[in-house]
Amino acid sequence: MKIPLWKPSAERIKNSNMARFMEFVNLRYGKNFKDYFELYNWSIENIPDFWASVWDFVGIKASVRYEKVVEDLSVFPGARWFPGARLNFAENLLKERSEKIAIKFRCETEETSYITYRELYETVSVLSSALKRFGAKKGDRICAYMPNIPETVQAMLATTSFGGVWASCGSELGVQAVIDRLSQLEPKILFTVSGYFYKGKVHDLTQNVRQIVDAIPSLERIIVVPYAKPEIDVSIIPKAISYHELLTYGEKHEIQFEQLPFDHPVYIMFSSGTTGKPKCMVQGAGVLINHLKELIIHADIKPEDTVIYMTAPSWMMWNWLVSALAVGATIFLFDGNPLYPDLGTMWRLVDEERITFFGTSATYINLLMNEDFKPKEKFFLDSLKSIGQTGSPLSEEGFRFVYRCIKEDVHFNSLSGGTDINGCFVIGSPILPVYAGELQSPALGMKVKAYDEQGNPVYDVQGELVCEAPSPSMPLCFLNDPDMEKYKETYFSYYPGVWRHGDYVMFHSDTGGVTFFGRSDSVLKPSGVRIGVAEIYNIVEKLPEISDSLAIGQNFRGDQRIILFVKLAPGYKLTEELKDKIKRELREKASPRHVPAIIMEVPDIPYTFNMKKVESAVTNIVNGRPVTNRDALVNPESLDYFEKILPIIRE
């Protein structure tokens, strides 16, 4: 029998938004649900009633109520949600107008600054009128190449207030990665910065911006925030004015929020682009209702909370964080290296700013583990109620580390979904226990399962994560895909009529939890046996000699063999003894099938800007296929070494 790492107290369960929502449903529909999975099963068997309940419970603001929740659930993809409704995304995030703090912000070099909800509303009103004076209108695509700073949030809210469509790239992206994304949108306006901070240094962005402007002729105006380099002369960038000058063209007024259909585009999000040009996923107000379901009901965020997520505007967790404004909570924006000047930086923030929800990645937790850094020994962390984690699968040991070395009484909310749905298929619940290596539950309203290769649901064995029914935040369409051929090919070609997400998972019949094993496009199949790469990483990366690793499958003599690349910890060498140790650990703790045919040392492992390992790029190199978008990687130079050693691998 599994022993939970954490169980919520009776008081915590009673006071949770999840319990409140359960009671809301019980009263409305005459039910008597007492546990999460009763509620979940109802939510996927009564999808229209469920989403109608969420709409009212989270307080969606609309000038015209919907005529029905969904037109036809059998139209998948393409179900039309909340027809007849008229609402505005930004208006829902700006409902609060008080002196309460809306945004706290800190970069590496400055003290925390504060923006009230009233100040945020007034700035957005000025910015919105200024953009319209410059010709911006409903349906225009307005983009950002920005760090995680308040002006990015303000620009997004101003854009969506009049029905503009927002897309953003973080300042950490390279020039070609930005061009590959934004050029497909034919944007009218670009918000950017003069520079940004990282590891105590100022990084100039002006030359990058010049190249981007030259490559995207549709851009009519560049708005430059003088961040990190306040002395910038914007005249060196074509079509540019400063952010402060732009504000002089606007007026402080009551915002006339454009009332729009539920399926009017709000965001354009981008796929990672590791296998080609990034796909442009168009999303509407379904993002709003889904985010509020996750933030309020699953993450238990309340107006008195302060929420941080270690993220950038390139990643959907930025959008998720910003939506907490619609809860009336305080969002904390951090820009810079979370490890600068030391490993305690983020935990110091938790104590100083009384952060209640701390969001991070598996990569960050693994780094703390590898450094044997124990936040609870150095900080109080008494304000901290929840830790969110996503980005890539976290090992059982990673879960245990959170409770052993960070805080014993905390809701560890490991979540997984994707940019595709701007949200989660599987997520935490504040009324359920936490088990090592398991995400607590499928998300309410998400009819998810694990399928085998024949399309049969499976439990307690690994399978493909699928979703059998539509949900509101699924993309309206892909840009430049009029017949939805790319859309259908991406999600519906493997199991017709069912969304295949591309993750390899296990649904546990005893706990109801779900374990993730990595992307199914990186699943290994030596001799036809399917192996998730996370199974290998979870064993290998516990060894003190190994700093990081990457496992890929090489097509070899009519089969597939596993090649394991390892990045060694300082002071170690890849000796035959170490190779034998790695193989022995994998054989004994996993299976003989997990043992790689080849183990090789590499200087670095490729990662996306969302800090996900990029098995696909190395798999392409090893199997003689092109890597089409190196700029989607945070460290594209790491691929050079794999190409260099290719002759050795092919022997």
Side-chain angles (χ1 to χ4, degrees):
M1 184 176 176
K2 294 174 182 173
I3 300 174
L5 297 173
W6 176 82
K7 292 177 71 174
S9 66
E11 182 181 7
R12 182 154 188 169
I13 292 172
K14 179 183 176 182
N15 294 329
S16 70
N17 288 332
M18 182 69 75
R20 286 179 51 239
F21 179 68
M22 191 180 299
E23 184 61 21
F24 181 86
V25 170
N26 284 341
L27 289 172
R28 175 177 278 199
Y29 296 102
K31 303 296 182 181
N32 190 31
F33 300 136
K34 289 184 168 58
D35 69 44
Y36 178 82
F37 288 101
E38 288 179 335
L39 179 65
Y40 171 73
N41 289 332
W42 173 83
S43 78
I44 60 171
E45 292 163 2
N46 302 272
I47 288 175
D49 288 344
F50 166 72
W51 285 108
S53 299
V54 174
W55 179 289
D56 291 332
F57 183 79
V58 303
I60 299 292
K61 183 178 178 63
S63 59
V64 180
R65 192 170 174 85
Y66 54 85
E67 296 163 0
K68 62 193 304 187
V69 175
V70 59
E71 280 193 343
D72 188 349
L73 279 173
S74 68
V75 179
F76 193 31
R80 188 162 173 243
W81 291 90
F82 299 103
R86 307 289 289 191
L87 73 165
N88 184 276
F89 181 85
E91 186 175 16
N92 276 271
L93 272 63
L94 292 170
K95 288 183 290 188
E96 180 78 32
R97 312 263 174 96
S98 69
E99 297 301 316
K100 181 181 178 182
I101 301 299
I103 298 174
K104 295 183 178 182
F105 169 65
R106 188 184 292 188
C107 66
E108 292 179 346
T109 61
E110 305 290 338
E111 294 299 312
T112 302
S113 59
Y114 306 92
I115 299 172
T116 68
Y117 270 96
R118 178 186 58 79
E119 290 168 335
L120 178 62
Y121 179 86
E122 290 175 353
T123 300
V124 172
S125 75
V126 174
L127 186 54
S128 173
S129 66
L131 288 171
K132 287 190 281 188
R133 181 168 287 187
F134 275 91
K137 60 185 184 302
K138 179 174 67 176
D140 282 346
R141 291 149 191 173
I142 297 178
C143 302
Y145 181 31
M146 297 270 279
N148 187 25
I149 60 177
E151 289 84 354
T152 314
V153 177
Q154 293 162 0
M156 181 278 287
L157 291 169
T159 296
T160 54
S161 72
F162 58 77
V165 187
W166 177 262
S168 56
C169 295
S171 54
E172 75 281 359
L173 286 183
V175 171
Q176 194 56 50
V178 176
I179 292 171
D180 285 348
R181 286 158 173 75
L182 300 188
S183 63
Q184 299 181 69
L185 278 55
E186 298 182 335
K188 178 178 283 189
I189 294 171
L190 175 70
F191 283 85
T192 189
V193 289
S194 51
Y196 65 97
F197 299 101
Y198 197 76
K199 288 187 177 180
K201 296 180 180 177
V202 173
H203 297 261
D204 191 328
L205 269 192
T206 52
Q207 292 308 310
N208 287 21
V209 175
R210 287 174 61 92
Q211 293 179 57
I212 291 164
V213 175
D214 288 344
I216 305 179
S218 65
L219 285 169
E220 297 176 6
R221 183 67 67 182
I222 315 301
I223 314 299
V224 183
V225 177
Y227 176 65
K229 296 190 70 177
E231 73 285 355
I232 182 71
D233 177 4
V234 297
S235 65
I236 65 176
I237 299 172
K239 310 173 188 175
I241 63 170
S242 77
Y243 184 79
H244 301 306
E245 183 182 350
L246 174 68
L247 291 175
T248 66
Y249 288 90
E251 298 175 354
K252 191 184 298 183
H253 66 297
E254 191 72 20
I255 303 173
Q256 299 301 306
F257 294 103
E258 187 77 23
Q259 299 300 299
L260 301 158
F262 193 81
D263 57 3
H264 180 82
V266 172
Y267 288 140
I268 297 177
M269 307 295 291
F270 304 102
S271 66
S272 62
T274 53
T275 57
K277 236 178 194 183
K279 292 183 281 289
C280 303
M281 299 171 282
V282 182
Q283 299 170 344
V287 170
L288 174 68
I289 192 169
N290 191 61
H291 279 176
L292 292 183
K293 178 199 74 174
E294 294 176 356
L295 287 158
I296 295 174
I297 302 174
H298 283 282
D300 206 29
I301 303 298
K302 299 171 182 174
E304 60 266 27
D305 284 314
T306 297
V307 186
I308 190 173
Y309 224 103
M310 292 164 54
T311 187
S314 303
W315 191 16
M316 54 125 324
M317 294 312 297
W318 181 85
N319 307 76
W320 193 89
L321 171 64
V322 173
S323 285
L325 293 171
V327 185
T330 298
I331 64 171
F332 197 110
L333 308 179
F334 176 81
D335 178 52
N337 185 335
L339 308 175
Y340 179 85
D342 56 58
L343 293 174
T345 294
M346 302 310 295
W347 306 105
R348 202 171 292 114
L349 273 183
V350 170
D351 275 356
E352 291 175 359
E353 300 297 338
R354 310 301 294 162
I355 288 167
T356 57
F357 183 101
F358 177 79
T360 187
S361 65
T363 303
Y364 179 75
I365 293 173
N366 286 331
L367 188 145
L368 297 180
M369 283 174 56
N370 292 337
E371 295 291 332
D372 196 29
F373 185 82
K374 301 172 182 175
K376 78 173 190 179
E377 294 181 354
K378 301 176 184 295
F379 303 96
F380 293 107
L381 308 182
D382 56 314
S383 66
L384 189 62
K385 297 191 302 184
S386 301
I387 296 175
Q389 172 269 315
T390 190
S392 57
L394 184 67
S395 66
E396 290 185 16
E397 183 55 31
F399 276 67
R400 293 190 182 97
F401 173 84
V402 168
Y403 285 99
R404 187 176 68 250
C405 300
I406 299 178
K407 191 172 183 179
E408 292 178 6
D409 185 18
V410 70
H411 178 208
F412 185 60
N413 186 349
S414 185
L415 47 137
S416 185
T419 302
D420 326 64
I421 62 167
N422 215 314
C424 304
F425 282 121
V426 184
I427 192 170
S429 168
I431 66 172
L432 288 176
V434 174
Y435 293 91
E438 297 183 17
L439 284 66
Q440 289 173 285
S441 57
L444 293 171
M446 298 297 194
K447 194 174 183 180
V448 290
K449 291 180 181 173
Y451 275 11
D452 64 17
E453 289 186 329
Q454 287 72 46
N456 302 308
V458 292
Y459 295 86
D460 304 315
V461 295
Q462 297 172 23
E464 291 272 1
L465 177 66
V466 301
C467 189
E468 296 179 334
S471 69
S473 68
M474 288 175 174
L476 302 169
C477 61
F478 287 175
L479 207 61
N480 306 317
D481 183 29
D483 299 321
M484 296 189 75
E485 291 180 6
K486 289 185 200 171
Y487 193 128
K488 292 173 183 175
E489 173 65 26
T490 300
Y491 304 114
F492 295 92
S493 59
Y494 202 87
Y495 302 111
V498 174
W499 175 296
R500 171 184 176 252
H501 193 56
D503 279 325
Y504 208 31
V505 299
M506 181 190 295
F507 279 63
H508 298 274
S509 59
D510 53 353
T511 62
V514 184
T515 297
F516 279 69
F517 297 94
R519 295 293 295 172
S520 55
D521 54 15
S522 62
V523 167
L524 308 171
K525 292 186 70 175
S527 303
V529 178
R530 296 163 63 111
I531 295 172
V533 290
E535 297 176 287
I536 293 176
Y537 303 150
N538 290 344
I539 294 169
V540 171
E541 291 172 17
K542 287 180 182 176
L543 300 176
E545 301 92 338
I546 306 300
S547 171
D548 205 351
S549 63
L550 187 86
I552 62 104
Q554 180 191 24
N555 299 329
F556 189 74
R557 296 178 182 173
D559 198 356
Q560 186 187 81
R561 65 178 181 180
I562 299 174
I563 301 178
L564 178 65
F565 300 101
V566 293
K567 180 180 178 181
L568 298 177
Y572 290 101
K573 294 183 179 180
L574 186 60
T575 61
E576 290 303 315
E577 288 78 14
L578 179 53
K579 290 181 182 179
D580 290 340
K581 179 180 179 180
I582 293 169
K583 292 178 180 179
R584 183 171 63 252
E585 289 285 305
L586 288 168
R587 185 180 294 108
E588 293 175 357
K589 295 181 178 178
S591 82
R593 297 288 190 190
H594 290 70
V595 176
I598 299 174
I599 302 175
M600 300 186 74
E601 180 182 357
V602 291
D604 203 6
I605 301 296
Y607 277 85
T608 68
F609 287 94
N610 294 349
M611 296 313 294
K612 294 182 180 180
K613 296 185 190 187
V614 188
E615 292 91 356
S616 58
V618 178
T619 300
N620 284 345
I621 290 171
V622 168
N623 289 297
R625 298 188 292 265
V627 179
T628 53
N629 195 351
R630 290 171 175 256
D631 250 25
L633 308 185
V634 71
N635 53 345
E637 68 283 352
S638 64
L639 297 182
D640 297 341
Y641 190 82
F642 293 96
E643 292 175 335
K644 181 180 176 182
I645 62 176
L646 188 56
I648 301 172
I649 297 170
R650 286 183 169 174
E651 287 179 0

